[in-house]
């Protein structure tokens, strides 16, 4: 067994996210799970490198030759994805190392999260990997995503084949961030990378942060974690990176009951929450409160410039929703902008009742047949108002025609996008609303499932710029 | 002009929600707005009474005779829905009164919310109505819904024709509760009545509460309001009713900025928030924080029994989501149930790792081909555990087949539904997830858009029972 230096985490993440050749070791029974599932995901999402399936029983899968063992793969292996029974993992790692593998994703479960024996085996696996100059993700993980090269490793059925390339990197300790669990295509949220650390036996958020710091695709980093093993180092690295790229954290285990549950889930201790809370604040890490916030708030940093101040304008087609938006915005440090006289003059020319913030276009919208020529100049005016630092748009769609007209409008407005915007949509048909949301995301306009999150995202962005 | 006693609000709501004959006065241009839109909504949703369109220009609309003026309608009018220009409203009200109308919904806007002249006109309209023994909803409203008789008055296009009959009554001061703004059919949320008060010139939440107190269709009342005019009376009535039917309130205007915005929106003052906060607490009114909570939290009271204590069990297919659920539950006064030994014995027989709370069936689910026979006994066991007061289920669906299998399972489990449950769903396709959500709602199992809301709903229900 060759003994090599343990590669740096950052270097290993290069092998993980940018492999030329991947070996997939596991079962190839067509159950849309296991090695077959991983290989199918790589093919479905158009992975741009080479895939080498490995299994002693099969000779062919999904139109590709299957190699009996990893050391018989006729090429250098950059990344190994292992979906074998736990007991086979040590041997497989050794074989992958013989073909030069720098990193492995251990998808299999049944390690530290399952039993004491599993924990011992996990320890052994890490040891073997390090002796062979390999670093590990997992075990008990659905792996990673890189939208730049179509790398999607989930071993499960997804039912779609496209994830929008964008600037949000997700780090997590759960499979529900995976392509089989999140409707990435339906949401069209902008993703650069995703990594599910599972049991986090070796590589962790700190290593990933170091890699993402220099990743040109990533502008913002969202981390879901149940425990942080080297707190001091995490805070040092996070603080350094947060100065350039916002770092958001969702960390459950705020109370004893969930802390205990964390221990059962990934075999780690959650620690006293107040210590984390203070450390996050000190490091400039933004803590979010819910799973949906974790998914959605980063988007405001992905496509929007930072607000230059904390003055928000709300453009709405519902007066009541406008008020709720101002309410939520105020809770997150924003104030209702005092619109400039140029703006109020322009708005007054359309209707005197429009010349205030929130700009409530509801009444105007409903009395005109073609609403776009009416609302477009209003939004343009707000975009040009130097008293406004950010804009929340509340829009309604009830038909495909309306959706298309709104998308056209945003396409025309795009060159004027000079200040951050978020959008909340409502309407009588989910499909219409979701279509509009998807189209706006594709245009780089972040939309939010909850009205209050659309306001909070802008508040967090404004606060981020003030630090 | 005949002068009659002003009818009690409660009596008027009977005319509003249970009219035999409705006159719709407005334009019948086919623009899916105005009088045409109102009439089309009534027809689409299958209103069970008679509809009399009124307009001096048209002779026929939607296959029905149009009467030139309301006093020429050849029948008693119970309810008038007025969508005329504001200046015509006083005359129209007089004409409706001549045919015995007891109540009117003034859909038209351009009153107190628009200008001083509008406020004066609004005052005049109320005066005329009262002199004629009529009570009013609006102006500036999309009206009401009653799922028991297909009464949906929205003047706009909805694109669907069914709202699930259920036990939640919504009272609001915004059109975004209307059928044209909310995907009632897609969500299949259980609705009894809805009333948008708009400018709230006459009848208000207090009158509605009195009516709903005795409405057998309504088990829970959710009120969105921007101002409460007679605070003391509201609290008295709410307190009395909340003892039997939970009353939830969403009241924006927590801060100065939004209070100012409220003033512009419906011409009313929001008042000091802390006074409201204390009064709500004293009256046993449950305050919710977001629009989505306002829509969703009442559902737990509509179909579920009240929890007999505060011990929650979480059944999950994602360990991490289970922890987030316990975290959120703890924030709302619930504690993780200590499962009984009968339960842990039964769960251990399936897998030793299942015998704890949250019950994480993720690993078991993924290794069996037919997951239902595996998870069904687990849920049955939790339903039968006397140490468990309520259950949060976290489920995943990725295909129609899976959705149908889960629906079948819930159908079988239904006779065992003895304690309150809420559900959070996730999955790779929005359409699958939404289909499952809709089916579960139809079965009386409330599902939630956000994981944390599913936990909060149970916490609020448990707290409600402890009072």
């Amino acid at each position: 067994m060759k003994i090599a230096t343990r590669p740096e985490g950052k270097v290993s993440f290069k092998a993980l996210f940018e492999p030329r050749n991947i070996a997939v070791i596991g079962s190839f029974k067509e159950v849309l799970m296991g090695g077959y599932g991983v290989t199918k995901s790589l093919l479905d999402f158009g992975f741009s490198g080479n895939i080498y399936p490995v299994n002693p029983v099969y000779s062919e899968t999904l139109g590709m030759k299957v190699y009996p063992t990893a050391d018989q793969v006729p090429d250098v292996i950059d990344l190994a994805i292992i979906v074998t029974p736990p007991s086979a993992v040590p041997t497989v790692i050794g074989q992958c190392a013989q073909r030069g593998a720098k990193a492995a994703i251990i998808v299999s479960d049944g390690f530290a999260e399952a039993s004491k024996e599993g924990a011992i085996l996990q320890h052994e696996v890490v040891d073997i990997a390090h002796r062979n100059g390999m670093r590990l993700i997992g075990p008990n993980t659905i792996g990673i995503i890189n939208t730049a090269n179509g790398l999607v490793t989930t071993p499960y059925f997804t039912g779609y084949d496209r994830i929008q390339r964008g600037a949000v990197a997700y780090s997590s300790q759960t499979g529900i961030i995976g392509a089989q669990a999140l409707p990435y295509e339906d949401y069209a949220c902008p993703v650069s990378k995703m990594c599910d650390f599972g049991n986090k036996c070796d590589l962790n958020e700190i290593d990933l942060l170091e890699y993402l710091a220099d990743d040109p695709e990533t502008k913002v980093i969202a981390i879901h974690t149940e425990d942080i093993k080297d707190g001091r180092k995490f805070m040092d690295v996070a603080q350094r990176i947060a100065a350039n790229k916002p770092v958001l954290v969702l960390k459950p285990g705020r109370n004893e009951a969930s802390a205990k549950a964390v221990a059962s889930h990934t075999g780690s201790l959650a620690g006293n929450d107040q210590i984390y809370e203070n450390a996050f604040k000190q490091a400039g890490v933004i803590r979010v409160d819910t799973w949906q916030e974790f998914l959605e708030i980063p988007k405001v940093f992905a496509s929007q410039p930072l607000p230059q101040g904390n003055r928000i304008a709300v453009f709405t087609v519902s007066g009541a929703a406008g008020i709720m938006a101002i309410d939520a915005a105020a809770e997150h440090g924003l104030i209702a902008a005092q619109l400039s006289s140029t703006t109020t003059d322009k708005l007054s020319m359309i209707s005197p009742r429009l010349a205030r913030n929130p700009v409530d276009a509801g009444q105007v919208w409903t009395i005109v047949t073609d609403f776009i020529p009416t609302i477009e100049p209003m939004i343009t005016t707000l975009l040009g108002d130097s008293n406004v630092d950010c804009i929340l748009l509340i829009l309604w769609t009830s038909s495909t025609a309306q959706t298309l007209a709104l998308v056209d409008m945003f396409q025309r407005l795009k060159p004027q996008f000079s200040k951050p915007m978020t959008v909340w949509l409502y309407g009588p048909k989910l499909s219409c609303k979701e279509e509009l949301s998807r189209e706006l995301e594709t245009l780089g306009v972040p939309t939010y499932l909850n009205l209050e999150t659309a306001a909070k995202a802008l508040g967090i962005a404004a606060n981020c710029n003030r630090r």
Side-chain angles (χ1 to χ4, degrees), chain A:
Chain A
M1 190 188 285
K2 81 175 175 189
I3 299 184
T5 322
R6 193 176 81 159
E8 258 188 55
K10 198 175 148 178
V11 174
S12 309
F13 270 108
K14 208 175 149 58
L16 279 155
F17 283 124
E18 304 162 48
R20 227 180 56 83
N21 303 319
I22 296 178
V24 181
I25 306 99
S27 160
F28 286 92
K29 234 175 102 179
E30 292 186 30
V31 287
L32 299 170
M33 259 200 286
Y36 180 87
V38 170
T39 308
K40 187 149 189 341
S41 292
L42 289 169
L43 291 173
D44 283 352
F45 288 88
F47 172 58
S48 60
N50 302 307
I51 308 166
Y52 296 103
V54 175
N55 185 291
V57 174
Y58 295 79
S59 59
E60 192 255 321
T61 189
L62 291 155
M64 288 181 292
K65 179 172 161 56
V66 177
Y67 298 87
T69 55
D71 52 2
Q72 291 178 65
V73 168
D75 204 341
V76 168
I77 298 174
D78 300 309
L79 168 64
I81 305 178
I82 305 173
V83 210
T84 65
S87 59
V89 173
T91 308
V92 167
I93 287 194
Q95 291 166 340
C96 292
Q98 287 195 30
R99 304 303 306 142
K102 290 279 169 292
I105 298 170
I106 306 175
V107 174
S108 326
D109 61 312
F111 289 89
E113 87 290 358
S115 63
K116 275 183 193 163
E117 297 72 37
I120 295 166
L121 181 60
Q122 181 172 311
H123 191 80
E124 189 192 330
V125 162
V126 174
D127 189 56
I128 292 172
H130 287 181
R131 282 164 177 276
N132 282 283
M134 273 171 79
R135 300 299 299 272
L136 305 175
I137 297 283
N140 186 19
T141 173
I142 50 89
I144 61 176
I145 291 173
N146 180 3
T147 52
N149 59 3
L151 177 60
V152 175
T153 70
T154 182
Y156 303 110
F157 176 69
T158 64
Y160 63 94
D161 57 13
R162 205 183 157 273
I163 299 178
Q164 181 166 291
R165 192 168 169 177
V168 182
Y170 291 105
S171 163
S172 99
Q173 232 178 323
T174 168
I176 62 170
I177 193 74
Q180 85 292 342
L182 263 184
Y184 281 109
E185 185 172 47
D186 290 336
Y187 281 158
C189 47
V191 178
S192 61
K193 310 279 190 295
M194 184 282 287
C195 179
D196 165 20
F197 282 104
N199 287 8
K200 207 157 58 176
C201 74
D202 180 20
L203 290 166
N204 62 33
E205 302 88 1
I206 304 172
D207 306 302
L208 180 59
L209 276 171
E210 302 265 23
Y211 170 81
L212 294 173
D214 297 328
D215 178 27
E217 300 266 328
T218 298
K219 280 194 201 165
V220 52
I221 302 159
I223 300 172
H224 161 266
T225 182
E226 294 184 349
D227 68 316
I228 293 172
K229 272 156 191 163
D230 186 347
R232 187 167 300 273
K233 192 174 172 199
F234 175 84
M235 295 309 167
D236 283 349
V237 174
Q239 181 160 27
R240 180 161 46 79
I241 290 166
N244 300 308
K245 297 186 183 186
V247 177
L248 294 91
V249 170
L250 175 68
K251 194 195 158 298
R254 284 192 191 261
N255 53 72
E256 214 187 315
S258 50
K260 252 177 73 185
V262 165
S264 307
H265 179 221
T266 45
S268 55
L269 287 170
N272 183 304
D273 191 71
Q274 197 53 51
I275 298 171
Y276 282 111
E277 184 77 23
N278 296 339
F280 289 146
K281 270 211 186 99
Q282 217 178 315
V285 166
I286 302 155
R287 192 167 190 181
V288 294
D289 296 320
T290 69
W291 178 248
Q292 200 59 32
E293 284 184 9
F294 169 73
L295 295 179
E296 289 189 333
I297 289 184
K299 293 194 291 187
V300 76
F301 295 105
S303 52
Q304 305 299 297
L306 283 178
Q308 292 305 302
N310 68 340
R311 300 164 302 173
I312 188 173
V314 175
F315 172 88
T316 183
V317 287
S318 153
I323 285 158
M324 292 179 214
I326 293 281
D327 226 26
E331 258 178 58
H332 298 286
L334 298 174
I335 57 164
Q338 188 77 41
L339 304 181
S340 72
S341 58
T342 318
T343 299
T344 53
D345 287 352
K346 280 188 195 164
L347 293 172
S348 292
M349 279 171 61
I350 307 171
S351 161
R353 291 170 55 200
L354 287 168
R356 59 196 177 206
N357 184 16
V359 179
D360 180 0
Q363 315 293 358
V364 183
W365 185 319
T366 56
I367 55 171
V368 293
T369 318
D370 189 5
F371 62 96
I372 296 287
T374 312
I375 67 166
E376 190 168 336
M378 300 185 204
I379 299 172
T380 302
T381 304
L382 290 177
L383 280 166
D385 189 329
S386 59
N387 286 0
V388 172
D389 297 310
C390 55
I391 304 173
L392 195 157
L393 301 166
I394 297 169
L395 301 171
W396 174 68
T397 181
S398 67
S399 66
T400 302
Q402 219 167 0
T403 291
L404 292 177
L406 284 164
V407 172
D408 273 356
M409 180 187 79
F410 276 94
Q411 248 151 358
R412 277 192 304 277
L413 286 173
K414 205 173 174 179
Q416 299 167 48
F417 287 176
S418 53
K419 49 190 66 163
M421 293 191 298
T422 59
V423 173
W424 183 64
L425 301 169
Y426 67 95
K429 293 295 286 178
L430 274 183
S431 55
C432 277
K433 187 170 83 91
E434 286 161 3
E435 187 191 355
L436 179 53
S437 169
R438 201 161 38 245
E439 293 286 346
L440 292 186
E441 290 288 348
T442 309
L443 281 170
V445 179
T447 68
Y448 290 82
L449 213 56
N450 296 316
L451 171 57
E452 292 80 3
T453 314
K456 183 171 180 176
L458 290 171
I460 284 180
N463 192 45
C464 196
N465 205 25
R466 274 211 302 278
R467 277 207 311 262

